[in-house]
Coordinates of all heavy atoms in Angstrom, one line a residue:
K198 N -1.7 -9.0 -23.3 CA -1.8 -9.5 -22.0 C -0.4 -9.7 -21.5 O 0.0 -9.4 -20.3 CB -2.6 -10.7 -21.8 CG -4.1 -10.4 -22.0 CD -4.8 -11.7 -21.8 CE -6.3 -11.6 -22.0 NZ -7.1 -12.7 -21.9
R199 N 0.5 -10.3 -22.3 CA 1.9 -10.6 -21.9 C 2.7 -9.4 -21.7 O 3.3 -9.3 -20.7 CB 2.5 -11.5 -23.1 CG 3.9 -11.9 -22.8 CD 4.4 -12.9 -23.7 NE 3.7 -14.2 -23.2 CZ 2.8 -15.0 -23.8 NH1 2.4 -14.5 -25.0 NH2 2.3 -16.0 -23.4
V200 N 2.6 -8.4 -22.6 CA 3.4 -7.1 -22.3 C 2.9 -6.3 -21.2 O 3.7 -5.8 -20.5 CB 3.6 -6.2 -23.6 CG1 4.3 -7.1 -24.8 CG2 2.2 -5.8 -24.1
R201 N 1.6 -6.4 -21.0 CA 1.0 -5.6 -19.7 C 1.5 -6.3 -18.5 O 1.7 -5.6 -17.6 CB -0.5 -5.7 -19.9 CG -1.0 -4.5 -20.7 CD -2.3 -4.1 -20.7 NE -2.8 -3.1 -21.4 CZ -4.1 -2.8 -21.6 NH1 -5.0 -3.5 -21.2 NH2 -4.3 -1.8 -22.3
A202 N 1.8 -7.6 -18.5 CA 2.2 -8.2 -17.3 C 3.7 -7.7 -16.9 O 4.1 -7.8 -15.7 CB 2.3 -9.8 -17.5
Y203 N 4.3 -7.1 -17.8 CA 5.7 -6.6 -17.6 C 5.5 -5.0 -17.6 O 6.5 -4.4 -17.9 CB 6.7 -6.9 -18.7 CG 7.0 -8.5 -18.6 CD1 6.3 -9.3 -19.6 CD2 7.8 -9.1 -17.8 CE1 6.6 -10.7 -19.7 CE2 8.1 -10.3 -17.9 CZ 7.5 -11.2 -18.8 OH 7.8 -12.6 -18.8
D204 N 4.4 -4.4 -17.4 CA 4.2 -3.0 -17.4 C 4.4 -2.4 -18.8 O 4.9 -1.2 -18.9 CB 5.0 -2.3 -16.4 CG 4.5 -2.6 -14.9 OD1 3.3 -2.8 -14.8 OD2 5.3 -2.8 -14.1
G205 N 4.3 -3.1 -19.9 CA 4.4 -2.7 -21.2 C 3.1 -2.3 -21.9 O 2.2 -2.1 -21.2
G206 N 3.2 -2.1 -23.1 CA 2.0 -1.7 -23.9 C 2.0 -2.1 -25.4 O 3.2 -2.4 -25.8
M207 N 0.9 -2.1 -26.0 CA 1.0 -2.5 -27.4 C 0.0 -1.6 -28.2 O -1.1 -1.3 -27.6 CB 0.5 -3.9 -27.6 CG 0.6 -4.4 -29.0 SD -0.1 -6.1 -29.2 CE 1.2 -7.1 -28.5
A208 N 0.4 -1.2 -29.3 CA -0.4 -0.3 -30.3 C -0.4 -1.1 -31.5 O 0.5 -1.7 -32.0 CB 0.3 1.1 -30.4
L209 N -1.5 -0.8 -32.3 CA -1.7 -1.5 -33.5 C -1.7 -0.4 -34.7 O -2.2 0.7 -34.5 CB -3.0 -2.3 -33.6 CG -3.3 -3.2 -32.4 CD1 -4.7 -3.9 -32.6 CD2 -2.2 -4.3 -32.4
V210 N -1.2 -0.9 -35.9 CA -1.3 -0.1 -37.1 C -2.2 -1.0 -38.0 O -1.7 -2.0 -38.5 CB 0.0 0.2 -37.7 CG1 -0.1 0.9 -39.0 CG2 1.0 0.8 -36.7
V211 N -3.4 -0.4 -38.2 CA -4.5 -1.1 -39.0 C -5.2 -0.2 -39.9 O -6.3 0.4 -39.5 CB -5.5 -1.9 -38.0 CG1 -6.4 -2.7 -38.8 CG2 -4.8 -2.7 -36.9
P212 N -4.6 0.1 -41.1 CA -5.2 1.0 -42.0 C -6.4 0.5 -42.8 O -7.2 1.2 -43.3 CB -4.0 1.4 -42.9 CG -3.1 0.3 -42.8 CD -3.3 -0.3 -41.5
Q213 N -6.4 -0.8 -42.8 CA -7.5 -1.5 -43.8 C -8.9 -1.5 -42.9 O -8.9 -2.0 -41.7 CB -7.2 -2.9 -44.1 CG -5.9 -3.2 -44.7 CD -4.9 -3.5 -43.6 OE1 -4.9 -3.1 -42.5 NE2 -4.0 -4.4 -43.9
E214 N -9.9 -0.9 -43.5 CA -11.2 -0.9 -42.8 C -11.7 -2.2 -42.4 O -12.2 -2.3 -41.3 CB -12.2 -0.1 -43.7 CG -13.6 -0.1 -43.1 CD -13.7 0.6 -41.7 OE1 -12.9 1.4 -41.4 OE2 -14.7 0.1 -41.0
R215 N -11.6 -3.3 -43.2 CA -12.2 -4.5 -42.9 C -11.6 -5.1 -41.7 O -12.2 -5.9 -41.0 CB -12.2 -5.4 -44.3 CG -10.8 -6.0 -44.5 CD -10.9 -6.7 -45.9 NE -9.6 -7.2 -46.2 CZ -8.6 -6.6 -46.7 NH1 -8.8 -5.3 -46.9 NH2 -7.5 -7.2 -47.0
I216 N -10.4 -4.9 -41.5 CA -9.6 -5.5 -40.3 C -9.9 -4.6 -39.1 O -10.1 -5.1 -38.0 CB -8.1 -5.8 -40.6 CG1 -8.0 -6.8 -41.7 CG2 -7.4 -6.1 -39.4 CD1 -6.7 -7.3 -42.1
A217 N -9.8 -3.3 -39.3 CA -10.1 -2.3 -38.1 C -11.5 -2.6 -37.7 O -11.7 -2.5 -36.4 CB -9.8 -1.0 -38.6
K218 N -12.4 -2.9 -38.5 CA -13.8 -3.2 -38.1 C -13.9 -4.4 -37.1 O -14.7 -4.3 -36.1 CB -14.6 -3.6 -39.4 CG -16.1 -3.7 -39.2 CD -16.9 -3.9 -40.6 CE -18.4 -4.0 -40.2 NZ -18.9 -4.3 -41.6
V219 N -13.1 -5.3 -37.2 CA -13.1 -6.4 -36.3 C -12.8 -6.0 -34.8 O -13.5 -6.4 -33.9 CB -12.1 -7.6 -36.8 CG1 -12.0 -8.7 -35.7 CG2 -12.5 -8.1 -38.1
F220 N -11.8 -5.0 -34.8 CA -11.5 -4.5 -33.5 C -12.6 -3.6 -32.9 O -12.8 -3.6 -31.7 CB -10.1 -3.8 -33.6 CG -8.9 -4.7 -33.7 CD1 -8.4 -4.9 -35.1 CD2 -8.4 -5.3 -32.7 CE1 -7.4 -5.8 -35.2 CE2 -7.3 -6.1 -32.9 CZ -6.8 -6.4 -34.2
R221 N -13.2 -2.9 -33.8 CA -14.4 -2.1 -33.4 C -15.4 -2.9 -32.9 O -16.1 -2.7 -31.8 CB -14.8 -1.0 -34.4 CG -13.9 0.1 -34.6 CD -14.7 1.2 -35.3 NE -15.3 0.8 -36.6 CZ -14.5 0.7 -37.7 NH1 -13.4 1.0 -37.8 NH2 -15.1 0.3 -38.9
I222 N -15.9 -3.9 -33.6 CA -17.0 -4.8 -33.2 C -16.8 -5.4 -31.9 O -17.8 -5.5 -31.1 CB -17.3 -5.8 -34.3 CG1 -17.9 -5.1 -35.6 CG2 -18.3 -6.9 -33.9 CD1 -17.9 -6.0 -36.8
T223 N -15.6 -5.8 -31.5 CA -15.3 -6.5 -30.4 C -15.0 -5.6 -29.2 O -14.8 -6.1 -28.2 CB -14.1 -7.5 -30.7 OG1 -13.0 -6.7 -31.0 CG2 -14.3 -8.5 -31.6
G224 N -15.0 -4.4 -29.4 CA -14.7 -3.4 -28.5 C -13.3 -3.2 -28.1 O -13.0 -2.5 -27.2
L225 N -12.4 -3.9 -28.9 CA -11.0 -3.7 -28.5 C -10.4 -2.4 -28.8 O -9.2 -2.2 -28.5 CB -10.3 -4.9 -29.2 CG -10.6 -6.2 -28.3 CD1 -10.0 -7.4 -29.1 CD2 -10.0 -6.1 -26.9
T226 N -11.1 -1.5 -29.5 CA -10.5 -0.2 -29.8 C -10.4 0.6 -28.5 O -9.7 1.6 -28.4 CB -11.4 0.6 -30.8 OG1 -12.8 0.6 -30.3 CG2 -11.3 0.0 -32.2
K227 N -11.1 0.2 -27.5 CA -11.0 0.8 -26.1 C -9.7 0.1 -25.4 O -9.2 0.8 -24.5 CB -12.2 0.5 -25.3 CG -13.6 1.0 -25.8 CD -14.7 0.5 -25.0 CE -16.0 1.2 -25.4 NZ -16.5 0.5 -26.6
V228 N -9.3 -0.9 -25.8 CA -8.1 -1.6 -25.2 C -6.7 -1.3 -25.9 O -5.7 -1.1 -25.2 CB -8.3 -3.1 -25.2 CG1 -7.1 -3.8 -24.5 CG2 -9.6 -3.4 -24.5
F229 N -6.8 -1.3 -27.2 CA -5.6 -1.0 -28.1 C -5.7 0.4 -28.7 O -6.6 0.8 -29.3 CB -5.5 -1.9 -29.4 CG -5.2 -3.3 -29.1 CD1 -6.2 -4.3 -28.9 CD2 -3.9 -3.8 -28.8 CE1 -5.9 -5.7 -28.7 CE2 -3.6 -5.1 -28.5 CZ -4.6 -6.0 -28.5
P230 N -4.6 1.1 -28.6 CA -4.5 2.3 -29.4 C -4.3 1.9 -30.9 O -3.4 1.0 -31.0 CB -3.4 3.2 -28.9 CG -2.6 2.2 -27.9 CD -3.5 1.1 -27.7
I231 N -5.2 2.3 -31.8 CA -5.1 1.8 -33.2 C -4.8 3.1 -34.1 O -5.5 4.1 -34.0 CB -6.3 1.2 -33.6 CG1 -6.5 -0.1 -32.8 CG2 -6.2 0.8 -35.1 CD1 -7.7 -0.9 -33.1
F232 N -3.8 2.9 -35.0 CA -3.4 4.0 -35.8 C -3.4 3.6 -37.3 O -3.4 2.3 -37.6 CB -1.9 4.4 -35.4 CG -1.9 4.9 -34.1 CD1 -1.6 4.0 -33.0 CD2 -2.0 6.3 -33.6 CE1 -1.5 4.5 -31.7 CE2 -2.0 6.8 -32.3 CZ -1.6 5.8 -31.5
D233 N -3.4 4.5 -38.2 CA -3.4 4.4 -39.6 C -1.9 4.0 -40.2 O -1.7 3.4 -41.1 CB -4.0 5.5 -40.5 CG -5.5 5.3 -40.3 OD1 -6.1 4.3 -40.0 OD2 -6.1 6.4 -40.5
T234 N -0.9 4.7 -39.4 CA 0.6 4.6 -39.8 C 1.3 4.3 -38.6 O 0.8 4.5 -37.4 CB 1.0 5.9 -40.5 OG1 0.8 7.0 -39.6 CG2 0.2 6.0 -41.8
A235 N 2.5 3.9 -38.8 CA 3.4 3.4 -37.6 C 4.0 4.6 -36.8 O 4.0 4.4 -35.6 CB 4.6 2.6 -38.2
D236 N 4.3 5.7 -37.5 CA 5.0 6.7 -36.7 C 4.1 7.2 -35.5 O 4.7 7.4 -34.4 CB 5.2 8.0 -37.7 CG 6.5 7.6 -38.6 OD1 7.1 6.7 -38.3 OD2 6.7 8.4 -39.5
P237 N 2.9 7.6 -35.6 CA 2.2 8.0 -34.4 C 2.0 6.9 -33.3 O 2.1 7.2 -32.1 CB 0.8 8.4 -34.9 CG 0.7 7.9 -36.2 CD 2.0 7.6 -36.7
A238 N 2.0 5.6 -33.8 CA 2.0 4.4 -32.8 C 3.3 4.3 -32.0 O 3.2 4.2 -30.9 CB 1.7 3.2 -33.5
V239 N 4.3 4.5 -32.8 CA 5.8 4.5 -32.1 C 5.8 5.8 -31.2 O 6.2 5.6 -30.0 CB 6.8 4.7 -33.2 CG1 8.2 4.9 -32.4 CG2 6.9 3.4 -34.0
E240 N 5.4 7.0 -31.5 CA 5.3 8.1 -30.5 C 4.5 7.8 -29.4 O 4.9 8.2 -28.3 CB 4.7 9.3 -31.4 CG 5.8 9.9 -32.4 CD 5.2 10.9 -33.2 OE1 4.2 11.7 -32.6 OE2 5.6 11.2 -34.3
C241 N 3.3 7.4 -29.6 CA 2.4 7.0 -28.5 C 3.1 6.1 -27.5 O 3.1 6.3 -26.2 CB 1.1 6.4 -29.0 SG 0.0 5.8 -27.7
L242 N 3.6 4.9 -28.0 CA 4.4 4.0 -27.0 C 5.5 4.6 -26.4 O 5.9 4.2 -25.3 CB 4.6 2.7 -27.7 CG 3.4 1.7 -27.8 CD1 3.8 0.5 -28.5 CD2 2.6 1.5 -26.6
G243 N 6.2 5.5 -27.2 CA 7.5 6.1 -26.7 C 7.2 7.0 -25.4 O 7.9 6.9 -24.4
R244 N 6.0 7.6 -25.4 CA 5.7 8.4 -24.3 C 5.3 7.6 -23.2 O 5.6 7.8 -22.1 CB 4.5 9.3 -24.7 CG 4.8 10.5 -25.6 CD 3.7 11.5 -25.8 NE 2.4 10.9 -26.2 CZ 2.1 10.9 -27.6 NH1 3.0 11.3 -28.5 NH2 1.1 10.3 -28.0

């Protein structure tokens, strides 16, 4: 919410299934781009 207030964005790197599951259950996978490694997350936000 804070970075979006400044027209920013946030991506998450969450390779562990048990933690990724929390984001799926809450529906936040629709809000956060979630990746298994940092490089594609950096590329996504760079674009």
Side-chain angles (χ1 to χ4, degrees):
K198 288 180 182 175
R199 180 164 282 107
V200 298
R201 281 194 172 165
Y203 295 101
D204 293 324
M207 184 183 290
L209 305 179
V210 179
V211 187
Q213 313 90 322
E214 175 54 29
R215 71 184 183 286
I216 293 179
K218 185 177 181 181
V219 176
F220 288 94
R221 276 199 309 279
I222 289 170
T223 56
L225 286 173
T226 52
K227 296 177 181 76
V228 178
F229 288 101
I231 299 179
F232 300 89
D233 287 335
T234 60
D236 287 345
V239 169
E240 288 174 26
C241 172
L242 283 186
R244 286 191 302 271

